[in-house]
Amino acid sequence: MHRRTLIGLLVAVGLPVAGVALPRAPAGAAPAPTLTVFGASDLAFAFEAIVPRFERATGARVTLVLGSTGNLAKQIENGAPADAFFAANVGFVDALAASSAVRPESRTLYARGRIVLATTRRSGLRLSSLTDLRRPEVKRIAIANPEHAPYGQAAREALETAGLWDEVRPRLVYGENIRHTLQYLQSGAVEAAIVALSIADVPGIDSVPIDASLHRPIDQAAAVTTRSRQPDLALAFIRFVTGPEGRPIMERYGFALPPSGGS
């Protein structure tokens, strides 16, 4: 596990980071600027590729705090020391802008997400559509908690539109965020899961796309927080993600281009 991910996970669960050694700047050198980025869990793999490039380009040090969008939004509203927020649903950024927790002028649509139906190869299950969730061997199904996770909201909408929600609801297991949902599947705790395309391409997992017309678009937005002590650097990171350095990486991990306009 990378150092920045470790620190992000510790912060996300409220644990101290004492004991995680941080390199010191050479004597007499100005300390590197630091940036704390709160981001939705679906960004984990893409940002592990993007952040080191940004650090090399700017000399900054970035700490990632990844979790469910709803929970991170509440933390920012309550004064958490984030500089930038990458939400998995634009509505959370708009709500924070309305409460003056983020800078409205920095609001940027950075991606459109997709959901997939995933199974493990070791299970031998081959599911081709949501209707296959009716099969008796699918005893448990994981989705992210729709109360605060946009990908869970999309999963619920897709199941409702397909006429399956009431039927599968007793078999649902809720992940705290989309990475947690995938972990349920990987551990064998469930037979199937609805997860983000961006994290589904991992060893031992098979997935099929879910028709995007079954749910509202997962338009994802970022913004600089009002409390940021590095607003220019935070905005630079957002532009890096959406620019020529970050865009190909985002697309490689399954994120579509944001809707026209980008803001």
Side-chain angles (χ1 to χ4, degrees):
M1 182 179 291
H2 291 290
R3 172 193 156 276
R4 71 174 60 86
T5 301
L6 173 61
I7 293 176
L9 290 173
L10 290 171
V11 174
V13 298
L15 297 176
V17 296
V20 178
L22 302 179
R24 295 183 178 180
T34 60
L35 196 68
T36 299
V37 176
F38 279 22
S41 292
D42 65 311
L43 296 167
F45 298 152
F47 273 20
E48 280 296 332
I50 289 173
V51 166
R53 295 182 181 223
F54 179 77
E55 289 179 327
R56 288 194 296 269
T58 62
R61 296 172 59 80
V62 178
T63 296
L64 292 177
V65 180
L66 302 176
S68 75
T69 290
N71 287 341
L72 293 177
K74 286 180 182 177
Q75 292 178 35
I76 290 171
E77 194 163 30
N78 290 330
D83 294 295
F85 179 41
F86 282 76
N89 187 293
V90 63
F92 286 91
V93 169
D94 290 343
L96 289 175
S99 65
S100 301
V102 301
R103 300 172 184 241
E105 71 278 4
S106 68
R107 175 189 180 276
T108 303
L109 291 175
Y110 65 87
R112 175 169 285 180
R114 291 292 307 275
I115 53 174
V116 298
L117 178 61
T119 56
T120 61
R121 290 172 194 154
R122 68 175 178 271
S123 72
L125 280 174
R126 294 293 181 267
L127 306 184
S128 60
S129 69
L130 288 177
T131 56
D132 285 338
L133 294 175
R134 290 190 166 114
R135 290 166 54 177
E137 59 265 46
V138 183
K139 297 178 174 60
R140 292 151 302 192
I141 306 151
I143 68 172
N145 191 328
E147 293 300 318
H148 53 73
Y151 280 91
Q153 294 170 359
R156 175 172 179 162
E157 289 173 10
L159 291 167
E160 288 175 335
T161 304
L164 295 167
W165 176 255
D166 290 336
E167 186 174 345
V168 304
R169 188 174 181 181
R171 293 182 281 144
L172 291 178
V173 176
Y174 297 107
E176 183 65 18
N177 53 60
I178 204 63
R179 286 291 305 280
H180 187 212
T181 305
L182 180 65
Q183 288 166 2
Y184 274 135
L185 181 64
Q186 292 173 307
S187 70
V190 300
E191 287 73 38
I194 298 176
V195 298
L197 173 61
S198 62
I199 62 166
D201 186 14
V202 293
I205 298 296
D206 288 323
S207 65
V208 294
I210 292 172
D211 185 350
S213 68
L214 295 176
H215 59 85
R216 287 174 291 181
I218 310 172
D219 288 338
Q220 308 193 191
V224 177
T225 67
T226 305
R227 291 175 176 265
S228 174
R229 296 182 178 181
Q230 298 280 359
D232 293 339
L233 187 62
L235 184 59
F237 182 72
I238 293 172
R239 290 175 175 169
F240 193 88
V241 171
T242 59
E245 286 275 2
R247 173 54 50 193
I249 296 172
M250 295 291 286
E251 291 182 305
R252 187 164 77 236
Y253 283 95
F255 291 102
L257 292 170
S260 60
S263 61

